[in-house]
Amino acid sequence: DAGITQSPRHKVTETGTPVTLRCHQTENHRYMYWYRQDPGHGLRLIHYSYGVKDTDKGEVSDGYSVSRSKTEDFLLTLESATSSQTSVYFCAISESGALSGDSPLHFGNGTRLTVT
Amino acid sequence: GDSVTQMEGPVTLSEEAFLTINCTYTATGYPSLFWYVQYPGEGLQLLLKATKADDKGSNKGFEATYRKETTSFHLEKGSVQVSDSAVYFCALSLTTDSWGKLQFGSGTQVVVTP
């Protein structure tokens, strides 16, 4: 299994509070991604990173920010949590951005976030 | 935009039955196609992939053929086991996209009973 650790695994927080989720990898892969998983929607991309300090928005980035100060860590911050951000969040990594090759996405085990 | 549509679940079947999960796609370019599987409490794992038309991906008894004429990538397995119970996701990635972004379908839950 790819070395991806997400923390925390579970979190309950109140509306309006900031929350930071952490993804840590030991594979030294360049590309990292944050997805959210919701029933009926599959997985949707929030933000991604193609190198240290290089990040960009995905399709559902509103209300989220990210930072990547080191290759191994990719942080996702909910600036002011809302109930609509209750979800399961997955981090993924890839050695190469060319997924048509032999570099698939590897996923962490997810963080279940509940916003009350 | 690019999208993936897969059949809704849950799909419930008995052990040793034949499984088909339909997946169709819309893409402006020439996508690579993937099937991922998610077991309870875990992240997604790549099951198989195909990178061009008529390619067949296969793994663990599962197969899927990239059909450009019908824009489909249906997943099949001839004889399922209880351990195949999981959620299956179809996904695509454009070869013109160098950032590795995947577009996922909504997932199909499969339940195999003894």
Side-chain angles (χ1 to χ4, degrees), chain A residues 74-89:
Chain A
F74 192 32
L75 304 181
L76 176 71
T77 297
L78 288 65
E79 293 139 9
S80 177
T82 68
S83 58
S84 64
Q85 294 176 311
T86 292
S87 186
V88 181
Y89 291 86

Side-chain angles (χ1 to χ4, degrees), chain A residues 33 37 90 97 99-101 105 108, chain B residues 32 36 38 43 49 51 89 99-100:
Chain A
Y33 311 81
Q37 182 179 23
F90 286 97
L99 294 182
S100 59
L105 282 188
Chain B
S32 294
Y36 278 79
Q38 182 182 31
K49 69 177 190 289
T51 59
F89 292 91
W99 304 123

